[in-house]
Amino acid sequence: MPIAPAGLGPLSDPRCFTEPVSIAGRSHEELRADLAMMLTIRFAEEAIAELVENGEARCPCHLGIGQEAIAVGVSANLRPADRVFGAHRSHAHYLALGGDLDAMMAEVLGKDVGCSRGFGGSMHLYGGEVGFRGSVPIVAATVPIAAGAALAAKMDGNEDVAVSYFGDGAAEEGGIHESLNLAAIMALPILFVCENNLYSSHLDIGQRQPSDRIARFAEAHCIPARVVDGNDVGAVREAATALVEHARRGGGPGFLEAVTYRWRGHVGPKEDVDVGVRRSAEDLAAWKKRDPVGRLRAAMIARGDVGDEELEALADERRAAVQSAVEAARRAPYPPAAALHRAVYADRGGDIG
Amino acid sequence: MPIAPAGLGPLSDPRCFTEPVSIAGRSHEELRADLAMMLTIRFAEEAIAELVENGEARCPCHLGIGQEAIAVGVSANLRPADRVFGAHRSHAHYLALGGDLDAMMAEVLGKDVGCSRGFGGSMHLYGGEVGFRGSVPIVAATVPIAAGAALAAKMDGNEDVAVSYFGDGAAEEGGIHESLNLAAIMALPILFVCENNLYSSHLDIGQRQPSDRIARFAEAHCIPARVVDGNDVGAVREAATALVEHARRGGGPGFLEAVTYRWRGHVGPKEDVDVGVRRSAEDLAAWKKRDPVGRLRAAMIARGDVGDEELEALADERRAAVQSAVEAARRAPYPPAAALHRAVYADRGGDIG
Amino acid sequence: MAEGRESLVYAEAIRDAFRYLLGRHPNVFAIGQGLWSPWYVGSSMRDLDKEFGAARVIDSPVSELACTGAAIGASLCGYRPIVVHPRMDFMLLAVDQIVNQAAKWSHMFGGQAHPAVTIRAIVNRGGEQGAQHSQALHAWFAHIPGLRVVMPATARDARDLLIASVMCDDPVLYIDDRWLYETRSPASAIVETDLRQERPAVLREGSDITLVGASFSTHLISEAATQLGEAGIEAEIIDLRIINPLDAEPVVRSVERTGRLLAVDGGWQTCGLAGEVLAATCSRLDPAALKASPARISLPDAPAPTSAPLEKAYYPTVDAIVAKARRMVMGGRVAHDQA
Amino acid sequence: MAEGRESLVYAEAIRDAFRYLLGRHPNVFAIGQGLWSPWYVGSSMRDLDKEFGAARVIDSPVSELACTGAAIGASLCGYRPIVVHPRMDFMLLAVDQIVNQAAKWSHMFGGQAHPAVTIRAIVNRGGEQGAQHSQALHAWFAHIPGLRVVMPATARDARDLLIASVMCDDPVLYIDDRWLYETRSPASAIVETDLRQERPAVLREGSDITLVGASFSTHLISEAATQLGEAGIEAEIIDLRIINPLDAEPVVRSVERTGRLLAVDGGWQTCGLAGEVLAATCSRLDPAALKASPARISLPDAPAPTSAPLEKAYYPTVDAIVAKARRMVMGGRVAHDQA
Ligand SMILES: Cc1ncc(C[n+]2csc(CCOP(=O)(O)OP(=O)(O)O)c2C)c(N)n1
Ligand SMILES: Cc1ncc(C[n+]2csc(CCOP(=O)(O)OP(=O)(O)O)c2C)c(N)n1
Ligand SMILES: [Mg+2]
Ligand SMILES: [Mg+2]
């Protein structure tokens, strides 16, 4: 039984949208890059799942396996001067922008060379050089911060944009609504990206909201919204590009709702079909057929873009990169205990003991 | 120039709805009671304005002169077991429910016999015996509290409802959106009443929101909404009754947006046309023609219900009641200094020094 | 409830209190995130939704402010709700409701209405969760008149003080710490007490130094006292139990005898609980009674780190308490906190 | 700026700082409620929108959380915003952004990004405004590592410390009190200082007792010192100026000489600023140096009332300070705070 059929309709029904994605008019290079990035993300998260299982990674890790297409599609038209913010489930957001894989793995293991210097773990990622301005696990916290980054971009006048990733659960936090209003009234160059995976922790959206369509809030705030299959990288890319270009040209905020599903549990490597209040093995199995990776691969093969062999080589290469990142992370040292006080303030130079 | 023409359309245009209100089918007694209550409220607030001007009232007083029809219309079908919450501009909410006039005046002057025992002033009114469960000046604060009171009513199973009054400015606080969702998902018996007077302090709604129609938020949360001329007591009463009855019968929350305008400034007795950023003397003059009291009086006279003389007598009687309340309040003593610790906790009996 | 058990485990004791309350009082209900989840609040509320129904054990949207406000509202209408914040950090989104509304409601209306709401905040530190998932901000709430703040250290208090909190007519912030969930008290029958009458507990008597703590810190100082005892130093242990209103008299009485005070707290130092214990004691004590400068051990002035080695360096330890206490007892009247 | 004025008035000094900052630094902007209003923030920002444009002096919707978050976000992207909360009470809706986000941002990301945001919170008490419109919760924020907290007492500090706050790379909570708006300092030129180097100020030297305050309390103790001086008691006056990180050394040095400490604060007592001053001092001081129990004067343990006579009884007064100080100096080593 699909969850909360009203609202999103077929978009939240896993029996729909299981065919290969449409790739008409998209170049081989672009598709290959999208696929490579989705594979990197998936393998990286599978590796993290293992690290958690074997006790090497101890920080809470929220995996987005099954949701890879969204970050990849959204990042397509972003540049380093744009400013992107994530939340607790942000490995994909970081990597899709070009964030350093080695540094992320080191961060997950709490190491000094981690992308947050070993002070964040999986839930606090930073990749300033690629425009990833931070992810933190207080739900919805970065949404107003991203709005402020958009305000800065507007003041700069360089046509940069901000991107704020959040989930369907985050839409229940009042701060998001305040941020939508602020963005609307100030015509801020921001793309709100709601990854609607129909769950917040163990509760499905039907247990938390009267409709499963989050874009209704954008519309209430007079913000143009697009709702797409979040497991179709081309659909995400096309919608995100339109909204980002609109924002760059001074058209104000845009809202992208990408409907998806996570294959793993809320936190950690398990599937949660046992503990999610209404999460069923059947739903999960159905959603796995709506796989963003598999559907792109199938489309590329069907069009004759690539053969199995090339795809295997690509996957092997991505797997090797992930493996090497894990190994480097293992070898890296932890931050020294003295580092505790290192970054409390910007510069403790002249400060009180 | 009307403010933010999109959204509410003619409802926020003071040139519209200036005719006598429709009273077809309403009894003389009911109309007379509505008029009497509106006069009480207006005279009471005019008296408070004077008390502020002459320095007798020192607490911040937010006057709702021009908005009387809303509370009167909403209260028509409420009963003491219902639970009503207000905010900073709540004299009308308290009085329309039948709250004691003498106790309110004493409260405004900070006296021990005040409706909040001299601990609230104009911004914190309490009338438990008539179902007025409190007003406080943190914007939007009572909205989730009212939702909780509705939850209690639902658990009681006695078909009582909660009413939450708030303004267009309050709709910018995230907490309201959280409360709308909670009410929707839990099907709480609550009537949200947005008194949209098009202003929050010195800013008109066009400076704060992309549309002047607040009911869009109710709709986004799948809550049935009615938008009415807030200066037409019959229209308010009819819409509120329908939504309240729906809630009593277990139909869940309702949302009433009543469009209005305050004749005085944000706080205190002045008109604020000089200091409101875009508040003009012309707008104010136009809105005074859309007077809720005058339009009802005119309709009653036109129908031949009453003559000038009877109306004058009614007004005199209401003025006298207000005057007597003011005088009693003047004579009443302040709470003793020892009262400071009286009500910090429910019962300090067995407590630590 | 506790029947058949040899000892009472903290997390189970909380669950016992919920069962007692929900079973006896139809006007008690619980609302908060994770109440239908087996993992959110540890085992402390396991299956209560199944036993008492999802209408009384309500899992909620991610809306801390509205859920807290709703609990307050229901408490004004005859109910005794417990609103659960699985992490105190998340509760910061609801402080307006707790501090501006609940704590002041009775006073603002001259005592005509009392929000008999219990706000349960869980401290959930460690596990490399980092800065936003590790806070212990009890000192903030102890600062607020009108709000009672309860911090049980023992399984028995976790149970009986939760019941007392819910039965109290005032808003109560009840703070439990997941680091205590496996700790045990001897089995005991539930005792309904009047929260307003509860006082700090002297858990161990000693003549050389007074160690003061609350919640998890009480365990640290108790363990430290055992080690100090082996070294011939007799520490008196005071568990505060309730930090607002704070009753410092038992500490003053104790320090009058021991002449030495060391307060330990899992929160930050500046304007924190340990400092309050020092201030409340020193201001009531003849300074001649002091044999050493009073001292405190709190968190370092930094947000919580993530990586395990840094977490280890971050949190107060029994070793640090023992070392400080020894220096205080051995070192005479010297000020030891000197920078 | 101050040209042509004989003295500097507190509210005008704040306005001078804004003009200085907005005039010299294109990356400074202000956002908050009431910034286009002539009455919201007193005269402290009058007509700045007209001088610098509504795009840099931004009036906002009633959205404390989002506006604070937006200021933080802009500060991460090269700007130095000042977000204005016309009342500290309203700011409670934004504490998640201040405490969970801004204060921890640098640490969480290992020092790679610094929210150079200034949060201006105005304490606006009295006037029968009551419990929700009178709070002075500075102690809360002093408790939070990563957040600098500034409380200027003088017009000169109101100006120069606001500039220093905005120029500082860290998040700073700058708290001004409307009861100070008409107070004056001698005219002076603006001095750009490094906030990290600023220390408490000894405003008056004395040998009998050390009185410590911040912001408005500094005025109370200064006035009390004058009265005590007339009675032959020489009080030393220390104005803390910055309460996080708190530098208690000047207080310790002073109490070593005077032997008596009285801290005065306009916030509540438990886990408050005055208590912190006592704790920080006592833990660094040889108790033999104390000639009397250290004492504090804070608000009573109650929310703010409304009616004028109760307001009068509620707030600390010069008389109460003088009386307490006299008892401490006259009474010897007795504990005076005894219940
Ligand atoms: C303020 C706050 N409340 C609650 C939580 C606990 N929490 C962490 S993730 C999460 C679910 C959020 O759901 P959603 O926004 O849909 O993101 P998803 O996990 O589906 O990616 C919750 C409730 C939190 N981290 N912060
Ligand atoms: C949380 C909070 N923020 C700001 C204020 C200041 N304030 C008091 S009333 C008000 C205007 C609210 O406007 P609206 O809700 O439309 O009510 P109205 O005054 O028009 O009746 C504001 C901003 C406040 N009291 N509380
Ligand atoms: Mg989700
Ligand atoms: Mg309004």
Side-chain angles (χ1 to χ4, degrees):
Chain A
M1 199 198 62
I3 303 146
L8 286 173
L11 276 174
S12 59
D13 184 343
R15 293 163 310 188
C16 307
F17 301 99
T18 54
E19 300 298 301
V21 295
S22 156
I23 55 172
R26 294 195 61 203
S27 75
H28 175 63
E29 288 64 42
E30 217 179 77
L31 294 170
R32 197 177 188 282
D34 282 1
L35 183 64
M37 186 54 84
M38 289 203 284
L39 288 172
T40 305
I41 295 167
R42 180 160 300 182
F43 296 150
E45 293 208 301
E46 287 173 350
I48 293 170
E50 270 176 50
L51 291 168
V52 173
E53 260 165 353
N54 69 24
E56 283 183 89
R58 289 166 306 249
C59 64
C61 294
H62 301 77
L63 306 175
I65 296 173
Q67 307 187 181
E68 298 87 349
I70 301 170
V72 174
V74 166
S75 302
N77 283 289
L78 300 180
R79 52 198 197 202
D82 294 329
R83 49 278 329 246
V84 180
F85 294 85
H88 55 289
R89 197 181 308 283
S90 278
H91 302 135
H93 308 150
Y94 168 97
L95 290 172
L97 274 181
D100 187 86
L101 175 61
D102 292 351
M104 189 184 87
M105 280 299 175
E107 190 56 48
V108 169
L109 296 188
K111 300 304 179 70
D112 204 20
V113 293
C115 62
S116 302
R117 308 284 185 264
F119 276 75
S122 162
M123 303 199 296
H124 314 77
L125 303 176
Y126 194 83
E129 62 296 344
V130 295
F132 193 70
R133 300 307 196 96
S135 63
V136 301
I138 292 285
V139 167
T142 53
V143 181
I145 293 174
L151 175 58
K154 183 176 173 159
M155 287 176 164
D156 286 341
N158 296 331
E159 303 197 346
D160 302 321
V161 301
V163 174
S164 174
Y165 287 105
F166 57 91
D168 49 305
E172 292 149 20
E173 291 285 4
I176 289 221
H177 299 266
E178 295 184 10
S179 304
L180 292 172
N181 183 54
L182 207 63
I185 193 76
M186 299 184 81
L188 300 179
I190 181 170
L191 178 64
F192 296 100
V193 181
C194 180
E195 298 189 82
N196 185 352
N197 61 12
L198 309 171
Y199 271 85
S200 167
S201 178
H202 56 294
L203 295 186
D204 64 63
I205 194 165
Q207 294 171 307
R208 301 177 286 111
Q209 297 184 34
S211 153
D212 64 358
R213 190 172 174 282
I214 305 295
R216 61 204 151 93
F217 300 127
E219 290 151 1
H221 288 282
C222 309
I223 295 176
R226 297 278 304 267
V227 185
V228 300
D229 172 14
N231 289 10
D232 177 343
V233 68
V236 173
R237 179 193 267 264
E238 186 273 318
T241 301
L243 293 165
V244 164
E245 289 315 313
H246 185 249
R248 284 203 206 287
R249 287 193 311 269
F255 191 101
L256 175 65
E257 176 171 1
V259 183
T260 187
Y261 202 83
R262 55 170 159 71
W263 293 8
R264 304 293 179 113
H266 169 61
V267 58
K270 302 225 170 61
E271 289 190 336
D272 269 13
V273 285
D274 45 341
V275 291
V277 174
R278 299 200 296 205
R279 187 172 155 100
S280 72
E282 295 72 45
D283 274 353
L284 177 56
W287 275 99
K288 285 192 175 172
K289 297 210 178 109
R290 193 163 150 182
D291 177 13
V293 175
R295 286 163 69 207
L296 175 58
R297 192 161 40 197
M300 289 171 74
I301 291 174
R303 194 170 79 176
D305 274 33
V306 282
D308 275 349
E309 204 166 310
E310 188 186 339
L311 287 178
E312 265 324 300
L314 179 65
D316 285 347
E317 182 216 52
R318 298 292 76 212
R319 259 191 217 98
V322 166
Q323 193 49 38
S324 130
V326 169
E327 275 155 26
R330 280 183 178 130
R331 287 189 306 268
Y334 289 106
L340 253 183
H341 295 278
R342 197 165 55 184
V344 179
Y345 296 98
D347 174 10
R348 290 196 55 88
D351 224 317
I352 295 157
Chain B
M1 198 195 65
I3 302 146
L8 286 173
L11 275 174
S12 60
D13 183 343
R15 293 164 308 188
C16 306
F17 301 99
T18 54
E19 299 300 299
V21 296
S22 155
I23 54 172
R26 295 195 60 203
S27 76
H28 175 63
E29 288 65 42
E30 217 180 77
L31 293 170
R32 195 177 190 284
D34 282 1
L35 183 64
M37 186 54 85
M38 289 203 284
L39 287 172
T40 304
I41 295 167
R42 180 159 300 181
F43 296 150
E45 292 208 301
E46 286 174 348
I48 293 170
E50 269 177 49
L51 290 169
V52 174
E53 261 166 351
N54 69 25
E56 283 182 89
R58 290 165 305 249
C59 64
C61 294
H62 301 77
L63 306 175
I65 296 173
Q67 307 186 182
E68 298 86 352
I70 302 170
V72 175
V74 166
S75 302
N77 284 287
L78 300 179
R79 53 199 197 200
D82 294 329
R83 50 276 329 246
V84 180
F85 294 84
H88 55 288
R89 198 180 307 283
S90 278
H91 302 136
H93 309 148
Y94 168 97
L95 291 173
L97 274 181
D100 187 87
L101 175 61
D102 292 351
M104 189 184 89
M105 281 300 176
E107 190 56 48
V108 169
L109 296 187
K111 301 304 180 71
D112 204 21
V113 293
C115 62
S116 301
R117 308 284 185 265
F119 276 75
S122 162
M123 303 199 296
H124 315 76
L125 303 177
Y126 194 83
E129 63 296 343
V130 295
F132 193 71
R133 299 308 197 98
S135 64
V136 302
I138 292 284
V139 166
T142 53
V143 182
I145 293 174
L151 174 58
K154 183 176 173 158
M155 288 175 163
D156 286 342
N158 296 330
E159 303 198 344
D160 302 321
V161 301
V163 174
S164 173
Y165 286 105
F166 57 90
D168 50 305
E172 293 149 19
E173 291 286 3
I176 290 222
H177 300 265
E178 296 185 9
S179 305
L180 291 172
N181 183 54
L182 207 63
I185 193 76
M186 299 184 81
L188 301 179
I190 180 169
L191 177 64
F192 295 100
V193 181
C194 180
E195 298 189 81
N196 185 351
N197 61 12
L198 309 171
Y199 271 84
S200 168
S201 178
H202 55 294
L203 295 185
D204 64 62
I205 193 164
Q207 294 170 307
R208 301 176 285 113
Q209 298 183 34
S211 154
D212 65 357
R213 190 173 173 283
I214 305 295
R216 63 204 150 94
F217 300 127
E219 289 151 2
H221 288 281
C222 310
I223 294 176
R226 296 278 305 266
V227 184
V228 300
D229 172 14
N231 290 9
D232 176 343
V233 68
V236 172
R237 180 193 265 263
E238 186 273 319
T241 302
L243 293 165
V244 164
E245 290 314 315
H246 185 249
R248 286 203 205 286
R249 286 192 311 270
F255 190 100
L256 175 65
E257 177 170 358
V259 184
T260 187
Y261 202 83
R262 56 169 160 69
W263 293 8
R264 303 295 178 111
H266 169 60
V267 58
K270 301 230 169 59
E271 288 190 337
D272 269 12
V273 284
D274 44 340
V275 291
V277 174
R278 299 202 296 206
R279 188 172 155 99
S280 72
E282 295 72 45
D283 274 353
L284 177 56
W287 275 98
K288 285 192 176 173
K289 299 211 178 107
R290 194 164 149 182
D291 177 13
V293 175
R295 286 163 69 207
L296 176 58
R297 193 162 38 197
M300 290 171 72
I301 292 173
R303 194 170 81 176
D305 274 33
V306 282
D308 276 349
E309 204 165 311
E310 188 185 340
L311 286 178
E312 266 322 302
L314 178 65
D316 286 347
E317 181 215 54
R318 300 290 77 213
R319 260 191 217 100
V322 167
Q323 194 48 39
S324 129
V326 168
E327 275 156 25
R330 281 184 177 131
R331 285 189 306 267
Y334 288 107
L340 252 183
H341 295 277
R342 197 163 56 183
V344 179
Y345 296 98
D347 174 10
R348 291 195 56 89
D351 224 318
I352 296 158
Chain C
M1 312 271 151
E3 302 99 327
R5 290 198 217 127
E6 300 262 315
S7 61
L8 190 62
V9 183
Y10 196 97
E12 287 299 320
I14 294 176
R15 192 165 170 276
D16 287 351
F18 273 105
R19 292 188 66 224
Y20 180 89
L21 289 161
L22 289 161
R24 266 164 221 246
H25 299 286
N27 63 341
V28 169
F29 69 90
I31 182 169
Q33 287 170 53
L35 302 199
W36 300 341
S37 146
W39 78 77
Y40 236 96
V41 291
S43 54
S44 70
M45 297 186 73
R46 196 187 56 246
D47 289 341
L48 293 176
D49 55 328
K50 302 199 173 68
E51 184 172 352
F52 298 100
R56 291 183 67 204
V57 179
I58 305 167
D59 206 326
S60 84
V62 198
S63 306
E64 286 78 10
L65 189 156
C67 290
T68 306
I72 295 167
S75 82
L76 294 170
C77 298
Y79 287 80
R80 292 186 177 271
I82 304 143
V83 56
V84 181
H85 294 284
R87 253 171 233 282
M88 183 179 273
D89 314 69
F90 308 160
M91 192 177 73
L92 296 200
L93 288 157
V95 290
D96 170 64
Q97 286 294 324
I98 299 169
V99 171
N100 282 338
Q101 315 308 325
K104 298 176 174 47
W105 200 268
S106 167
H107 193 259
M108 290 188 296
F109 299 117
Q112 297 176 93
H114 308 289
V117 63
T118 298
I119 301 147
R120 178 183 175 203
I122 304 179
V123 174
N124 188 352
R125 301 172 284 179
E128 301 199 349
Q129 300 178 102
Q132 296 186 335
H133 278 54
S134 305
Q135 287 170 95
L137 289 167
H138 44 275
W140 270 28
F141 300 95
H143 189 55
I144 305 300
L147 186 67
R148 296 182 187 275
V149 182
V150 175
M151 288 181 77
T154 66
R156 183 175 181 158
D157 268 356
R159 181 192 64 195
D160 292 349
L161 291 185
L162 177 53
I163 293 170
S165 297
V166 174
M167 300 322 293
C168 176
D169 287 343
D170 298 312
V172 180
L173 179 66
Y174 171 97
I175 303 173
D176 56 292
D177 186 326
R178 285 185 69 157
W179 279 353
L180 294 172
Y181 276 21
E182 304 302 319
T183 61
R184 286 163 192 273
S185 297
S188 64
I190 284 174
V191 185
E192 261 202 47
T193 61
D194 180 345
L195 189 66
R196 299 166 306 168
Q197 308 289 347
E198 294 297 317
R199 294 288 174 271
V202 178
L203 298 187
R204 181 187 197 278
E205 295 191 353
S207 51
D208 296 326
I209 185 168
T210 305
L211 304 182
V212 180
S215 187
F216 183 74
S217 298
T218 297
H219 289 257
L220 294 176
I221 57 174
S222 298
E223 176 59 28
T226 306
Q227 294 188 19
L228 287 165
E230 287 158 11
I233 294 173
E234 294 306 326
E236 183 139 311
I237 296 299
I238 299 183
D239 173 21
L240 293 173
R241 302 175 74 230
I242 295 171
I243 66 165
N244 200 39
L246 180 71
D247 181 8
E249 279 308 304
V251 181
V252 177
R253 296 289 88 81
S254 173
V255 180
E256 276 170 354
R257 283 184 293 100
T258 64
R260 300 183 187 88
L261 169 62
L262 173 58
V264 177
D265 183 40
W268 285 301
Q269 177 170 292
T270 309
C271 299
L273 179 61
E276 176 59 33
V277 171
L278 265 58
T281 307
C282 294
S283 61
R284 283 173 171 83
L285 197 74
D286 182 340
L290 286 173
K291 298 177 186 147
S293 305
R296 51 182 165 170
I297 293 180
S298 307
L299 290 182
D301 275 342
T306 46
S307 62
L310 266 66
E311 282 189 333
K312 215 167 154 187
Y314 185 72
Y315 292 105
T317 61
V318 172
D319 284 354
I321 298 165
V322 169
K324 171 79 90 176
R326 288 179 72 115
R327 282 202 306 276
M328 288 175 71
V329 176
M330 306 311 202
R333 290 178 67 117
V334 190
H336 294 294
D337 265 8
Q338 214 96 330
Chain D
M1 313 267 153
E3 302 100 328
R5 292 199 215 126
E6 300 262 315
S7 61
L8 191 62
V9 183
Y10 196 97
E12 286 299 320
I14 294 175
R15 193 166 171 276
D16 287 350
F18 273 105
R19 292 188 65 223
Y20 180 89
L21 289 161
L22 288 161
R24 262 163 223 248
H25 299 286
N27 64 341
V28 168
F29 69 90
I31 182 169
Q33 286 170 55
L35 302 199
W36 300 342
S37 146
W39 77 78
Y40 237 95
V41 291
S43 54
S44 69
M45 296 186 73
R46 197 188 52 246
D47 288 341
L48 293 175
D49 55 329
K50 303 200 173 68
E51 184 170 354
F52 297 100
R56 290 183 67 206
V57 179
I58 305 167
D59 206 326
S60 84
V62 198
S63 306
E64 287 78 10
L65 189 156
C67 291
T68 306
I72 295 168
S75 82
L76 294 169
C77 298
Y79 287 80
R80 293 186 176 272
I82 303 143
V83 55
V84 180
H85 293 284
R87 252 170 234 283
M88 183 180 271
D89 314 69
F90 308 160
M91 193 176 72
L92 295 200
L93 289 157
V95 290
D96 169 65
Q97 287 294 325
I98 299 169
V99 171
N100 282 337
Q101 315 307 326
K104 297 175 175 48
W105 200 268
S106 168
H107 193 258
M108 289 188 296
F109 299 118
Q112 297 177 91
H114 309 288
V117 63
T118 299
I119 301 147
R120 177 182 175 203
I122 303 179
V123 175
N124 187 351
R125 303 171 283 179
E128 300 199 348
Q129 299 177 101
Q132 297 187 333
H133 278 55
S134 304
Q135 287 170 97
L137 288 168
H138 43 276
W140 271 27
F141 300 95
H143 189 56
I144 305 300
L147 186 67
R148 296 183 188 274
V149 182
V150 175
M151 288 180 77
T154 66
R156 183 174 182 160
D157 268 356
R159 181 192 65 195
D160 292 349
L161 291 185
L162 177 53
I163 294 170
S165 297
V166 174
M167 299 323 292
C168 176
D169 287 342
D170 298 311
V172 179
L173 179 66
Y174 171 97
I175 302 173
D176 56 291
D177 186 325
R178 287 186 67 158
W179 279 353
L180 293 171
Y181 277 21
E182 302 302 319
T183 60
R184 287 162 191 272
S185 298
S188 64
I190 285 175
V191 185
E192 261 202 46
T193 61
D194 181 345
L195 189 66
R196 299 166 307 168
Q197 308 288 350
E198 293 298 317
R199 294 288 174 273
V202 179
L203 297 188
R204 181 187 198 278
E205 295 190 355
S207 52
D208 296 325
I209 185 168
T210 304
L211 303 183
V212 180
S215 187
F216 183 74
S217 298
T218 297
H219 289 257
L220 293 176
I221 57 174
S222 299
E223 175 60 28
T226 306
Q227 294 188 18
L228 287 165
E230 286 157 12
I233 295 173
E234 294 306 324
E236 183 141 312
I237 296 299
I238 299 182
D239 173 22
L240 293 173
R241 303 175 73 228
I242 296 171
I243 65 165
N244 199 38
L246 180 70
D247 180 7
E249 279 308 304
V251 182
V252 177
R253 296 288 89 79
S254 174
V255 180
E256 277 170 355
R257 283 185 293 101
T258 64
R260 299 183 188 88
L261 168 63
L262 173 58
V264 178
D265 183 40
W268 285 301
Q269 176 169 293
T270 308
C271 299
L273 179 61
E276 177 58 33
V277 171
L278 265 58
T281 306
C282 292
S283 61
R284 282 174 172 84
L285 197 74
D286 182 338
L290 287 173
K291 298 177 187 149
S293 306
R296 52 182 164 170
I297 294 180
S298 307
L299 291 183
D301 274 342
T306 46
S307 61
L310 266 67
E311 281 190 332
K312 214 167 155 188
Y314 185 71
Y315 292 106
T317 61
V318 173
D319 284 354
I321 298 165
V322 169
K324 170 80 88 177
R326 289 180 71 115
R327 281 201 306 276
M328 288 174 71
V329 175
M330 306 312 203
R333 289 177 70 114
V334 190
H336 294 294
D337 266 9
Q338 215 96 332

